[in-house]
Amino acid sequence: MVTTIWAGLSVGAIYAIAGLTYNLGYIASGVFNFAQAQFVVVGTFVAYYAGANLKVSIVLAIIGGALFCAVLAGLEDVIALRPLAGSGLSGELITTVGVAVLIEGIILLVAGPDPQRVPYIQSDSFTLLGGRILPAEALLIVCAVAFTVILATLSRRTTLGVTALAAAENRRAATLRGVNVKALSLGAFMLAGAIAGGLGPVIGAKTFATFDLGDGLALKAFVVLAIGGFGSFGGALIGGMAVGLVEALSTRWLGDNYANIMVLVVLVLILLIKPSGLFGRRVERTV
Amino acid sequence: MATLKAAAPRVSAALTVIRSRPYIPIVLAALLVLQPWLGVDQQWIRQTELVVILALIVSGLNLSFGYGGELALGQVAIYAGGAYITAILAEHGVGDMAVTGLAAIGLALVIGLLSGLPGIRLGGWALAMVSFFLVLVLPNIINQFPDLTGGFAGIAGVDRPTLFGISLESTNAFYLTVVILGIIWFVFMRNLVVSRYGVALRVLRQSPVLARSLGISVYRLKVTVYLLGAIPAGVAGMLFTYLDGFISPSSFTFSVAISILAACILGGKDTIYGPILGAAFIQFGPSNSESFQKYSLVAYGAFLVIFGLFLSGGVGELWRRLVSRFGRRTAQVLDASEFDADAAIPPLRGTDLRLSDVSKRFGGNLVLDRVSLTARAGHVTALIGPNGSGKTTLLNLVSGYYTLGSGTISLGDERIDGRSSHRIARAGVARTFQTPNIPEGLSVDETVESARFARHTIGILPTVLRLPVAARTRRDDRDAAAAALDAVGLGPLGTATATAVPLGTRRLLEVARAIASEPAVLLLDEPASGLDAHEVDELARLIRAVAAAGAAVVLVEHNFQMVLGASDHIYVLAEGAVIAEGDPATIRDDEAVARSYLGITTEPGTDVTGSRT
């Protein structure tokens, strides 16, 4: 049982990390960047090539993944989102889904459809509080908590963070206040890409490098934010863990087939009962 | 150059004809029907059938996404539902399309309701993501009932159907069935889009706020179009099962959903026939050739990015631009001052609007503090006060855009506070906006006609089938719109593009739209701002005329001279409270008003830059 919980929490950590990076882009630019999850996948492939082909150290793999995905995310912002700023949701939805599918397609072309083993942090599992857990899994949970604390602190305690919050609240007002909204959103996207890509060796150690992981991950990240509230880092951590546990426990009690179905059920329930998420707040519409 | 110029009128005339009569679709439909007798091979027939099936699904997406404005990919789940119910019925010996068709449509509506209802209320990302997720778990759900669906192996050996006992086994008979069902849907779609429903949808997509103020229930209309869009997807599923006689979960994957989205964007998401083009492109391109299949994800992704960025209207938009360049003269920019408002305003059944002890807080800010006022039918009641004094908030409370803090708002003897904004509008409260709210892509006529959509309802079926009752409503709509336009002096502008007219004209157009809704109460939010002196006089005359026709007019305005001239009774708001009221002469001489509003001395804390919502 405890083993199941550890498994759920470690998968949940991946969802939490994805959710955190989604939040980052959302706070700075108001966009749910559907393609963000693809940077996690790209990160695992960078880790796979770094480990299996180049045989470099994990530190280099992390730096490589972070740099590569930061650049990709920056390109996405400049090419696919900036021209649409303020044109409404459906435009951004189309282009971010487009970028996601494009990246997925390119990965499929370059690396093929088979999952690849990422050769970092592959030591044996150990016992923790009565359940078995892999070192990579433990590290994932630590990373999720650490990044939550760092991002939450940055966003509340630093001028840059508060500025980003302000820009998310009202883009035009922030612009009038002299905030460079474009640079802010570019920076947030690149940071989100860097975090997702840099964690490739840790995430890939658990998930393998798999080309079609991104769509599911993007949707899980949406569930994470729906639970935790859009824009809340603490909410993303809790939402991520919740989704991971729902999956692990449904698999254990109901069977493999139920993992995704139950997450969808949770999403629909949350949207019906508390659409602003557990940590979000409602905004009255204006004319 | 000379010959080009001489040819232009002829080209233009030809394209005008094309635009007003659907000749191209009719010729295309005839060619499709005749295709088997034109000597094409079996492979081509099958490809055409697949294009029609895909076009049906995409057309449903166009209806909900392009026209309804909500991206939901539940279409794939509905398509799968139609396919599976057909296969399951076939296994149980039911092969008559009259039965399976109804079953497929019924299941489509059920899946549409289940997948649409939770998300549509929230709209936007929530709906999109729930529907994406549904597609993702589709294989899991199908696999959940292995006895029924055959699990991952699927169902094989489904025979071609019969229709009322007539076998559709031969290639040509089945082909004709597919094509004719496709034609029926596209005729339905075309009639819907050009009807008043099409106009209402365009209003809804651009401004839900405006739609509500016209009495249109945004939620209900969105659910309606989403469910209508489910029907072709269900039928497509049925046809798909009969086409190959085999289905499995691999036909209903996330990448199928993406290909449908790509076809929708390619053909143009708010077009009637674009889906056929998009479907043909996807069918003959990425999903056809073996070598291309490897690149299909890259291709779909690239389509979505490129079209999303540069051509969000798709190929259909290109075509429309081409036709309108030659076929329609660019809208003349006409000025309202060229006309006289001679025609009378049709009589209006006015009702008194009463606010008592109305309060409203935003967070800790008390924006309105126990405001009571009465706007009597047949009178112009003005509401003046400095920026941030709560005037627009008050209008928004009456319209139902904000929830009331405390107090009551009633129309005659009826309480309207607490009702949703579209129901308040239906009760007879019409309004204009600080920034004129005129949807793009509508003519002046259509803009005014849209005000009658909610108050004179008629079902979708009579509309699409063009029954006499629908024709009568259509005629009434046109007459009422023409009368309202004549009343504000914009009669000659009818067919011009509404967004192309100048600001002053747009304000008059908003008033005409309000008049066409036969309001009991008309709320005017700063109608004179940005108008020149001549236009302000015209507007004042019009406002008096609306009151004389019977309506209760509430005028929020900064132009003090105009207010003095146009109104019967004036309320002065300052910091959320009524500080004075009376007839124009009383207010003009009131000291408190002069002090707080006319700027003899400015009160500290009066927020000049305050947000004006």
Side-chain angles (χ1 to χ4, degrees):
Chain A
M1 183 62 205
V2 180
T3 308
T4 308
I5 291 177
W6 285 134
L9 288 180
S10 58
V11 174
I14 298 176
Y15 297 152
I17 291 165
L20 289 172
T21 59
Y22 270 93
N23 252 341
L24 208 52
Y26 179 80
I27 285 179
S29 65
V31 176
F32 181 85
N33 173 19
F34 194 82
Q36 175 64 37
Q38 299 296 341
F39 301 135
V40 175
V41 181
V42 171
T44 62
F45 274 95
V46 171
Y48 159 67
Y49 282 110
N53 292 15
L54 306 174
K55 305 201 188 328
V56 294
S57 76
I58 186 167
V59 177
L60 275 179
I62 288 174
I63 294 173
L67 282 179
F68 190 65
C69 289
V71 171
L72 275 186
L75 283 176
E76 185 199 2
D77 183 45
V78 173
I79 295 171
L81 283 168
R82 190 174 289 181
L84 293 174
S87 72
L89 163 156
S90 62
E92 291 160 347
L93 193 55
I94 294 296
T95 52
T96 54
V97 169
V99 170
V101 174
L102 191 60
I103 293 177
E104 190 177 324
I106 292 172
I107 296 175
L108 177 64
L109 275 183
V110 174
D114 301 321
Q116 307 288 349
R117 188 167 168 277
V118 175
Y120 292 108
I121 330 173
Q122 291 293 354
S123 30
D124 286 337
S125 62
F126 59 92
T127 304
L128 187 65
L129 301 176
R132 302 292 291 172
I133 183 168
L134 290 165
E137 294 178 328
L139 193 57
L140 273 173
I141 299 173
V142 172
C143 284
V145 175
F147 274 104
T148 305
V149 173
I150 293 171
L151 288 173
T153 314
L154 280 181
S155 73
R156 301 212 175 271
R157 298 285 162 80
T158 65
T159 321
L160 193 63
V162 174
T163 312
L165 288 175
E169 189 90 3
N170 191 332
R171 215 178 156 83
R172 191 180 293 174
T175 310
L176 290 174
R177 278 285 185 183
V179 175
N180 188 341
V181 178
K182 285 180 185 169
L184 200 64
S185 116
L186 179 63
F189 264 71
M190 292 184 72
L191 179 59
I195 294 175
L199 287 173
V202 190
I203 294 173
K206 181 162 174 68
T207 64
F208 286 48
T210 315
F211 86 100
D212 59 355
L213 210 66
D215 302 325
L217 189 55
L219 293 170
K220 301 284 168 55
F222 184 81
V223 184
V224 167
L225 299 195
I227 293 175
F230 283 79
S232 161
F233 289 113
L237 180 64
I238 293 170
M241 295 303 175
V243 173
L245 283 177
V246 166
E247 269 190 24
L249 295 176
S250 319
T251 306
R252 187 185 155 101
W253 288 328
L254 302 169
D256 230 359
N257 211 20
Y258 275 97
N260 277 337
I261 295 179
M262 289 316 287
V263 176
L264 176 59
V265 169
V266 169
L267 172 63
V268 170
L269 286 180
I270 284 279
L271 291 179
L272 286 177
I273 297 164
K274 198 158 185 316
S276 55
L278 300 181
F279 302 90
R281 59 202 170 83
R282 201 173 157 272
V283 186
E284 193 157 30
R285 63 177 174 230
T286 49
V287 177
Chain B
M1 203 55 206
T3 42
L4 197 72
K5 271 196 178 140
R10 249 176 300 151
V11 173
S12 137
L15 282 163
T16 308
V17 170
I18 289 170
R19 191 165 50 81
S20 55
R21 293 263 165 228
Y23 288 122
I24 290 181
I26 290 172
V27 170
L28 189 73
L31 274 178
L32 275 179
V33 170
L34 294 174
Q35 201 164 247
W37 293 274
L38 298 177
V40 299
D41 61 11
Q42 296 286 320
Q43 187 55 29
W44 181 262
I45 292 282
R46 190 184 128 80
Q47 289 290 350
T48 313
E49 286 166 335
L50 284 170
V51 169
V52 174
I53 289 172
L54 185 57
L56 279 171
I57 311 172
V58 177
S59 178
L61 184 60
N62 267 26
L63 194 53
S64 61
F65 177 39
Y67 291 97
E70 295 290 358
L71 178 55
L73 283 184
Q75 248 74 17
V76 177
I78 294 158
Y79 173 53
Y84 270 95
I85 189 112
T86 305
I88 292 165
L89 282 174
E91 280 194 319
H92 291 79
V94 182
D96 198 298
M97 247 175 49
V99 180
T100 53
L102 282 180
I105 290 175
L107 186 63
L109 293 177
V110 171
I111 299 176
L113 270 179
L114 289 178
S115 67
L117 283 189
I120 287 179
R121 192 171 284 284
L122 298 164
W125 293 105
L127 177 60
M129 293 302 144
V130 169
S131 68
F132 279 19
F133 211 135
L134 183 66
V135 174
L136 193 77
V137 301
L138 211 53
N140 298 111
I141 295 175
I142 293 171
N143 209 30
Q144 202 58 48
F145 309 99
D147 297 340
L148 220 48
T149 63
F152 285 117
I155 301 173
V158 178
D159 291 330
R160 287 277 162 96
T162 56
L163 181 62
F164 300 117
I166 304 161
S167 168
L168 301 177
E169 176 130 26
S170 79
T171 311
N172 286 1
F174 185 69
Y175 171 80
L176 276 183
T177 312
V178 173
V179 169
I180 288 170
L181 281 175
I183 291 171
I184 290 174
W185 168 258
F186 277 96
V187 169
F188 179 97
M189 177 81 176
R190 188 237 172 211
N191 283 356
L192 183 74
V193 167
V194 299
S195 77
R196 66 211 303 265
Y197 279 91
V199 173
L201 284 171
R202 272 175 281 174
V203 172
L204 168 72
R205 189 183 51 191
Q206 298 210 5
S207 172
V209 166
L210 173 62
R212 287 193 187 93
S213 84
L214 298 175
I216 299 170
S217 165
V218 169
Y219 182 62
R220 205 172 140 188
L221 191 57
K222 281 193 171 170
V223 170
T224 308
V225 290
Y226 185 67
L227 286 181
L228 281 180
I231 293 174
V235 172
M238 173 189 75
L239 294 176
F240 180 71
T241 299
Y242 287 140
L243 177 63
D244 282 351
F246 165 71
I247 52 165
S248 75
S250 61
S251 301
F252 312 103
T253 57
F254 197 75
S255 72
V256 170
I258 294 296
S259 73
I260 289 166
L261 183 61
C264 165
I265 299 295
L266 257 168
K269 64 183 192 297
D270 52 356
T271 58
I272 301 168
Y273 306 112
I276 302 170
L277 211 68
F281 194 88
I282 295 289
Q283 191 56 42
F284 291 112
S287 10
N288 199 30
S289 68
E290 281 298 322
S291 62
F292 209 97
Q293 229 157 32
K294 235 174 85 182
Y295 299 93
S296 64
L297 280 179
V298 176
Y300 297 153
F303 289 153
L304 289 177
V305 174
I306 292 167
F307 276 80
L309 281 176
F310 304 112
L311 203 60
S312 55
V315 178
E317 170 75 23
L318 273 183
W319 169 253
R320 250 190 315 222
R321 270 190 227 161
L322 182 75
V323 172
S324 74
R325 169 161 306 170
F326 289 104
R328 187 193 287 196
R329 277 183 307 163
T330 37
Q332 301 150 292
V333 178
L334 294 166
D335 203 305
S337 55
E338 291 169 28
F339 315 116
D340 283 322
D342 288 334
I345 292 174
L348 300 169
R349 282 224 311 252
T351 317
D352 292 355
L353 174 73
R354 238 177 240 106
L355 280 73
S356 45
D357 285 331
V358 165
S359 298
K360 175 69 186 171
R361 271 174 195 288
F362 287 119
N365 262 348
L366 188 61
V367 185
L368 287 175
D369 183 14
R370 279 169 291 132
V371 171
S372 296
L373 63 81
T374 303
R376 290 175 49 210
H379 288 70
V380 176
T381 308
L383 198 55
I384 61 173
N387 283 329
S389 60
K391 304 181 300 294
T392 296
T393 303
L394 195 137
L395 290 195
N396 287 342
L397 281 171
V398 174
S399 299
Y401 293 132
Y402 298 149
T403 46
L404 199 59
S406 63
T408 61
I409 301 174
S410 36
L411 204 58
D413 301 325
E414 241 183 305
R415 288 221 6 211
I416 57 168
D417 51 282
R419 287 193 198 175
S420 50
S421 42
H422 68 270
R423 287 187 55 220
I424 292 174
R426 280 190 207 192
V429 178
R431 69 171 291 166
T432 67
F433 296 88
Q434 242 174 54
T435 315
N437 199 338
I438 311 278
E440 273 169 40
L442 294 185
S443 70
V444 166
D445 278 335
E446 287 172 323
T447 306
V448 178
E449 283 168 30
S450 67
R452 292 175 49 88
F453 178 79
R455 297 203 73 190
H456 300 269
T457 53
I458 178 158
I460 285 185
L461 219 51
T463 307
V464 171
L465 298 177
R466 310 206 154 173
L467 299 181
V469 55
R472 199 158 56 238
T473 313
R474 181 112 183 140
R475 213 166 37 241
D476 291 347
D477 282 356
R478 293 214 169 119
D479 293 347
L485 281 171
D486 282 341
V488 304
L490 296 183
L493 228 63
T495 54
T497 307
T499 43
V501 301
L503 176 69
T505 312
R506 261 178 284 166
R507 291 213 185 274
L508 291 179
L509 181 55
E510 278 213 312
V511 176
R513 180 170 62 194
I515 292 172
S517 75
E518 299 160 15
V521 174
L522 174 58
L523 311 176
L524 300 167
D525 195 356
E526 298 191 19
S529 63
L531 301 192
D532 64 32
H534 175 71
E535 288 172 324
V536 170
D537 290 345
E538 284 287 306
L539 185 70
R541 203 149 64 88
L542 182 58
I543 291 171
R544 296 274 352 140
V546 174
V553 179
V554 178
L555 171 65
V556 165
E557 186 49 63
H558 278 299
N559 186 328
F560 197 54
Q561 286 310 316
M562 180 206 178
V563 169
L564 288 179
S567 31
D568 301 296
H569 198 84
I570 301 175
Y571 287 87
V572 184
L573 271 181
E575 290 174 10
V578 175
I579 58 165
E581 64 162 304
D583 58 35
T586 317
I587 295 299
R588 193 182 50 216
D589 301 334
D590 190 295
E591 265 182 48
V593 175
R595 214 172 35 246
S596 89
Y597 179 46
L598 296 180
I600 308 298
T601 55
T602 317
E603 294 223 345
T606 306
D607 186 6
V608 186
T609 58
S611 65
R612 296 162 48 169
T613 51

